[in-house]
Every structure is written in structure tokens, then in C-alpha cells.
Amino acid sequence: MPRPGSKRSLSPYGRENNDGPRPKNSRPAGDSSVSGIIQRIKLEHFMCHEELDWEPNKNVNFVTGVNGSGKSSVLQGLVLGLLADSKHTKRYNKLQDFIQKGHSRAIVQVTLKNEGEDAYKSEIYGASITFQRTINDNGQSSVFIKDHKQNVVKKATKDAREEGKRILENFRINTDNPIAILQQEEAKELLKVESPENLYTFFQKATLLKQCIDQYSAAKTELEKTRNTIDAKRVQIRELGKQLTLKYEKLKELDKLKERDLEEERLQKEFMWALVKENRVEQEKLTSKMGQKETALENPKEKLKSLHTVKVQLDNQMTKQVDKAEQERGQYAREERELTELKIETERLKEEEKKIKADIKGYDSMRKTLDGEIRIMKEQLEQLSSSQNSKDKVKLAKERQKKLNKLEDSKSGINEEIEKKGTERDDIESQQDGNRKELEKIEYERKGCQRKVEHLESELAEMVGMGDQKLAVFDRLAPKVAEEIRSAAKRQQFRICPLGPVGSHIKLTAEAASNSALARLLETELGTNQVKAYLCNDDQDRRVLWDIFNRVYGGQKKPQIFTSKFLTRKHDVRRVERYNTVMDYLEITGSPQEATVIFNHLVDQKSIESVVVCKAQDEAKQICTFHQNVPRNMNYAITHDFNRFFPPTSNTSYRSYYIDPKTSQMLGANMSNKVEEKKSEILRTRTAMQEINANSEVVLRTKTNLKMQNDEIRSRITELRGRLAKISSEKSQLKAEEDSVDNMETVQDKLEEKKVEYDHLCELQDTKLNEKDKVGNLIKEKGSVFARKSKVVAKLRESTNPIEREISKIEGQISSKKKEISNQEKVVKRYQNEVAQLKRELKEKEGEEKRFLGQAKQKAGSEYVEPSGTVMQLNAKIKQIRETKKKSSKVVADREKLLEEYRVLKEQYETQKRKIANIEDHVKMMEDMNTARNDNYLFIRKTISNIIQRRFAMLSESFSRQFGTQIFININHKRRELNFIFKNSDGDAISTEINSLSGGEKSYAQMCLIASLWENMNPPFRALDEWDVFLDALNRKNISSKLLEFGLTKLDYQFIFISPQGASDIVCDPSEKHRVSIMEIKKN
């Protein structure tokens, strides 16, 4: 169903009802309207319109209708039909929101006039151009461009959009320009005229100055991009220049090859004859040296012969003296044995005498003790005989018992306190023992930390001194080992150069390198020993490498060496299907041969092809728990959280163990990472030292406190023991007094017993004294016999002393001669070995001479060539030429091909150079254009601002007459503000705030601003939506009359005014009625 509504025209053809088809607006033959005015708007299923077909008047159009009838939808359709985005409608953000509910698509057609001077491709499109846009419910839209016969000219949406943009630019139509189309929401905001900043933004968009600024900014951005392009091309041309220079050098090198061939041939001949010459010189040296050695050998031989003769003589003398000494010793051998027996007997008697003296001393001590006891008992008997003591005995006994009880109580209390203090002392001493052990442990840990810090700082200094050496990441001495290996390889000590460290040939994949836990897991699985290890082809190479380790590492721990033949083909491994293994996360670097050796080593040692890597333990449990789930060829599985899972066997179920992760990473690290890691380790160690020192201070304070407590307790115990001793003394005295009251018969019996014991002790002592005297006499007798016999033996020995001295002298001489003979034999043997070695060398040199001479005659001819240098010098020159040729042969194998490459590169270089120069000229031109564009923009902005300010002043004269106040606008570009200025009739400025104006006054001022902008801008049509929203009836009538008057004075342009308040107050001259149309849209 078509959208219900009615349209009435002020023209003679206008109809007051919508019965039957409505006639189109008449267009006189002398039509002067510009190209681009709207001839027709057709909407289908668009917003609230089922169908709307409207042909607006070419001059002034008023669209009315109640709220919700779809007035603004006509303007939305116009904007979207002219290819604008949904954001330009200021209504919806999504295109599908414009489709009428219950339908899947909406169609918008907008027909524009294409006649006059500004017509666009009139030979193709004819008198009109129709934009058709179909909006689908999926948010997509298609665009067609049709001619005046409604034939599609541009069907493809992309082509139609591009053509449509060109058409709109030709007609000067900008749907985002508020002067061309002022949307409903924008109109409401603008008509408030309360924000100078918003008014200035409106002024910029209306005058297209905003578009100029955007274009200028875009030009600056493009200019910056061009500069970046120039910089990039300069880098490229520098690289191209380097390649060109390299090609030129290679060409020069190629030209020198022929000269090098001749030079090598000449040097080769000289080298062969130099070998012969140097061999003969060495033979002469060997012959001369051998003669010197043989001559020198004669003297040691003669000397050795004379030494043997002297030694034989000394041996004969020694035999004679020994026989003579044996005869003399036989004469006093019996006396010496007797002297020895006397000495032993005397020593035994002295020991017996010593024991007897000790017994006598013991008896004397016991006798003195008994003597004292007897004396005390006699005194007691004297006291007991006194009558006074008998009378007071009972009284004294009671007093003594009372004192004894009191002393016993005191003693018990002191003993308890001593026992308590003793327990406290034992506890404190136990604590002191623990404290001492803890201090020893802390001191041990502190010294260990100190040594560790010193060692780490030493390593850090070495690492910092190494710079960014890659090998130092694996071992700080690895660069030195590598240098030693290279030197040994140059000396041809290795059959095949070793590889290592193994980690220097291993690189983590991107996935492993980006996951720190996975990287640490892989390195932990490989192991530090494997990462630092070296590989050798055979045992001989291993021994050479081990000698290098001994020189570099000394007594430090050395890397591990694995010896296995270097194969040329990788192992044929069996992969674990559907699961990632350690091998999948490793990339082996180096030459193909090196990569093969490293790969085979990791397969042999770590089985990297059969160790499955799982992200979680659940995944590992799933494949390791049951036999049937274990993947084929899997050895075991490891997880990202450092657990290792072994699958079940025939005897055991599956097992899992935690893996202790490595704290330091080497794979993928650089020297700066290792330096920072070492610094962190030093910091952690220093922090641990600080904690140990703090703990040590606490323990030392505890030690001091314990010592003070122990000293106090010991002092107290000493004091208590003193008191206890005093009490014991008092008790002994009281008990002694108590014992004295015993009866006289008991004391008399004890006294008799002591006397008997004393007499027996005296008898024993006398017996020991007699024994002592006997032993003493025996010792004296033995001593006198020993002295007498000693004198006899001494006299007998004096006869043999000269013989003993002579024997000793001869023994010394024999020993000296033996040493001299041994040394001389070594000298003779050394000379003989040297002569034998020289003979062997001379024989070898003679063989070499024959071989060298044959080679020289074969390669250089029979004619002798005088060498220009030594063998070493000539060999170095030949080697240098061959190395140069080897490098040259790799690079410049084909001169013609190289020459062609050089020409192509040179042409590319020159072309790029010209391009950069052209781009730089273009940039300079663009910079000049931007400068000129900026100047022109400032001039245009100033001109437009002045025109609009003057035009506003003219249009606002009626405002002055109506309100008695003049109103002007001031455009401040620096502050980006558009302000209204009010003056009284005398021209003086008054401080009237824009907020204080009524809605009608604000709207009037705004309409003056819009009209002044219309005067300056020239889009073919202008549309205002809800321009009278804030006006009362009187103001609306006045402003609508002004708008109608303005529109009728601009007959070349089209005006559309949308209002919800009807058009009953619109009155125009009858002669102008055909220029004005009113369309009323009715609400469903």
C-alpha cells in the first residue's frame, strides 16, 4: 500500500485532495535552476514508509506532518540514497535498522537534475540521473546508477559508488554539510545557539573549511609517508651500492686469477727444490752434530774407566780392614756381654728399691694417722674422768641435738637449692652447647657464602669482559676452549674437529621459546651435562681435547666428552604418532654434517624422539596408565609442571616422579641474560649473607645472655657450697662432742686396738727399711763391678777405634765413587742415545732427499731452480694463493654471468637513484604546495568569515527593528569560537547573554546565520529539518516568511523546509505560487 498522505501546491495545478494521480510540477522552457536539484524521491519499505513517491518543487518546498508521520525519514532516505553512511543520518548506526518492520529490504531512489552548464556526462545519462540503493536485512546494500530513461548505467556496486562520488562532487553535493542538509537532531542542538565552540564547528563544516583542514592534514600524512619511503629507499640503495661494489671487486679478482695461476706454478717449483736444499742443509747439520757428540763421548768413557779402577782398590782396602776389626773384637766380646748383664741387673735393683721406698712412705703416713687417733682417745679418757662432765651430760646432749636438727634442716634446704641450680646450670650449659654448634654452623655458612660471592663476582667479571660471546652462555671458559680447538685443528692434531658445546647447536622452536615453562622443561630434560658436553669422533681426538681441557680448566670441573663415530646420515628414528616429543621442540643448527652428528647424539643419549611432552598431568596419565593406551614407540612422558610418567611394564604399574627444574637457562639465552642471571645470583647470595649475619648477631646475644646466667648460677652454687661446708664442719664438731660422752670402757677398748695396730705397722715399716738397706748395698756392689769392667772394655776398645775410623772413611769413599760412576754412566748413555738418534734422523733425511729430489725433477724439471725463500715461506705463499683462488672460485665461477649481473645491478642502482631524486623533487613540490595551500586556506577563511559577518549584519536588520537591539557575529579562529554580539541603537556593545534570549529570538539569530552561510555556499539544494521546533506562532510566521522570501530570491537553487507545525501561515505572492510547494505527510 502506498504511504497515505497529501500534497498541495500553491501553483495553478495544485489540488486540494489526493484523489487520482497528482500532476507533476511544471517546468517552464526557460528553466534556470542549477544541475543537481532533486527531481524525485521514492521510498519503499523505508522506516515508517510503506511507499512514498515525491517530486519536489525545483524552488521552495515545505514538508509538514505530525510527529511520527515520517517527515524526517524523507531526509534520511535522501541522505542514504545519495550514498552516505548511516552515521551521517544522525539516526541509526546500522543500515538494517532503516528497513520497515516486517520486511527484508528497503529501496531508496533519488533522481537529480542533469541539465545546464554543470551537467555530468549528459550524452550518457541524459536530462536526469537516478541513484537507487537497496538495503538488505544483513546490513549489506547494493547501488545502481540509472539514466533519464531508468536504464542502469552502473550496475556493480563498487563501480556505482565510485561513479556516484564523481557525480556528487560535480554537483557540489556534500550530504555531511549541515548547510546542504541540516538533520533533525543537529538542528535541535544548533538552534540552542548556546555554545560558541559548537557554532564554530558548524561554521567550519558549513563553509567546507573543515574539509580543507582534513585534506591538508591528509596531505601532511601522505607527505610524511613519502619521506619514510625515501628513507627506506635510501637504505635499499645503500645496500644495492654495497652489492655493486662487491660485484666490481669480484670482477677485479677474476682478472687476477690468471696471474695467480702463473705465480703458484713458479712458487711450486721453488718449493720442491727448497725441500731438497733444506734437506741437504739439515743432513750436514746432523753429520756435524753427530761428530761433535762422538768426540764428546770419549772423555766420559775414559773417566768412567778410571772410576771403576779406583773403586776396585777401595773395595780391597775395605775387605782387609773389616777382617782386622773382626779379629780385634773377638778378644773382648765376653767382657762386653758381662757388662751388659750387669747393667740390666742394676736397673732391676733400682726399680725394686723405688718400690720399697713407696711402701715405707705409705706406712709412715698410716702411722702418723694412728698416732693422732691415739692422742685424741687419750684426751677423751681424761675428759670422761671429770665429774663435772657427768652432771651436765644430759643437758648438753639436748642442746647438741637441737643444734644438729637445725643444721640438718639448713643443709637440706641448701642441697635442694644446689640441686635446682645445678639443673638450671645443666640446661644452660646444654643451651650453650647448642648455641656454640649453631655459631659454628653459621660461621661455616657465612664463610661458604663469602667464598661463593667472591667466586660469582670473579665469574661475573670474566663474563662482562667476554662481551657478547655466544659460547660464554654455556660455560665461561667455552670461548677459550673453542680458540684452543681451532689452534689444534690448524696444527692438524685432530682427525675430525670436535663439536661443542652441544647446546650451541640447539635452538628452541618459536613455540618453546615463547613458553618459559616449556623451555625450562626441555632444558631440564636434556640436562646441563649434555648441554655443556663435547663430541669427538675417536679416542685420539678425545685425548687431544682432554689435554686442552686440562690446560684451560686446570683443577676445575671439566665438561663431559662423548666419543662416537661421526656418521654422515641421521638415524632412522621411529616417531610417536599423534603426540609431540622433545625432538619436535628442538632445531639443530650448524652445517648439515654438524646437525647430523648433534641429532644422532641426542637420539642416542636422550631418546628425544620417544619422550612425549604433555601440557597437563591428566593427559600424561591418560596415555601412561593402561597398556592399551600407551602410544607406540613412547619411552616415557613429561609434563609442563615438571613431572615424569613411566608407562606400566609386565611387572609394575605406571609410575610418576617429580623433576627438579633447572634454575638457570642456557638455550635461547644471550650473554646479557647470563650476566643479569649472575647478578641476581650474587644479590641472592648477599641477601642470604645478610640474613646469616643478622642470625649470627641474635645467636651472639643469646650466647652472652647464657654466659651471664651461667656465671650467676655458678657463683650462687659456690656460695651455697661454702655455707654447706660450714654447716658440715659445725655438725662434725657437735658429733665429736656427742661421741665424747660414750662410756670410758668403749673408748679404752678402741684405744687398745689402735695401739696394737700401731705396733704392727711399726714392725712392717722396720722390715721394709731392712729390705731397702739390703737392696741399696747390692746396687752399690753392682755399680762398682760395672765401673771396673767398663774401664777394662774401654781400654780394649781403644785398640780397635783406629780400624773403625778407617772402615768408616773407606765406606764414605766407596759411596762417593758409586755416585760418580752412576752419574758418569748416565752421561755416557745419554751421549750414546743422542748419537743413535742422530744416525736414525740422518738415515731418514737421506731417504727424504731421494724422495724430494725425484719429485722436484718430475714437477720442476731436471734443471735446478734457486728458491726465493724458505720452505715455510714458500708454503705460506702457495697456501695463501690457493685460499684466495678457492674463495674466488666459489664466487666468480663465470665471468660473463658476473659481468651481466654487474650491469643489471648498476642499472638498478642508477634507476633507484633517479627515482629517489624524483621523489625528493616531488616532496619539495608537495611541501611548497602545502605551504601555498596553507596560505590560501588562511586567505579563504578570512574572506569567507568577513563575507558571512557582513551578510549576517544585513540579514539581522529586521531583528534590530523588531527587538530594538543590533546583533552581529564575531568569528574567533584562534579560540575556535563563534559568538553573537549585541549592540544598542547607538552602536554601543551591551552585555546581553545568548542564554537570556527567547526561543524565537535564538531561532531568528540562527536562521540569519544559516541564511548568511547559504549566501556564501552553493549546493544545488538546501534542506532544514524542524527549524521551528523552539518557535511560537508569531515568530514562526515571521521566520517562515523570511525563509520563503530568501528562497524565492534564489531561483537557481532548491529549498526543503520540514516542520511539524503545518503550513497554514505560509503566504506568498500569487505570481510566485508556482515556485512554492507544500507536502503534508499523514501518520498511519
Side-chain angles (χ1 to χ4, degrees), residues 651-702:
N651 299 323
T652 62
S653 60
Y654 91 94
R655 296 156 294 153
S656 65
Y657 304 96
Y658 178 71
I659 308 172
D660 190 16
K662 275 176 54 60
T663 57
S664 174
Q665 285 187 253
M666 292 179 279
L667 297 182
N670 53 37
M671 199 59 191
S672 59
N673 297 141
K674 299 301 290 182
V675 168
E676 291 302 322
E677 187 178 299
K678 191 65 67 176
K679 288 181 178 178
S680 300
E681 189 175 358
I682 291 173
L683 182 60
R684 289 195 300 271
T685 308
R686 289 191 181 279
T687 304
M689 273 188 65
Q690 292 174 359
E691 293 177 357
I692 289 171
N693 290 334
N695 192 21
S696 177
E697 291 179 2
V698 173
V699 175
L700 284 172
R701 285 197 294 271
T702 304

Side-chain angles (χ1 to χ4, degrees), residues 536-550:
C536 288
N537 179 61
D538 53 36
D539 194 60
Q540 179 181 338
D541 291 346
R542 183 196 64 77
R543 287 195 295 270
V544 176
L545 182 59
W546 190 253
D547 291 339
I548 291 174
F549 282 177
N550 287 331

Side-chain angles (χ1 to χ4, degrees), residues 20 133 236 263 343 405 452 491 711 782 816 829:
R133 187 172 187 179
Q236 293 175 0
E263 178 70 13
K343 186 176 180 180
N405 293 337
K452 185 176 180 182
R491 297 193 299 271
D711 291 344
K782 296 289 183 181
S816 176
K829 190 173 182 180

Side-chain angles (χ1 to χ4, degrees), residues 306 326 338 364 420 567 663 675 776 835 916 937 978 1042 1081:
S306 62
E326 288 297 329
E338 292 176 356
D364 187 58
K420 181 180 177 183
L567 302 178
T663 57
V675 168
V835 170
I916 291 176
Y937 167 77
L978 190 152
K1042 288 294 181 182
I1081 299 176

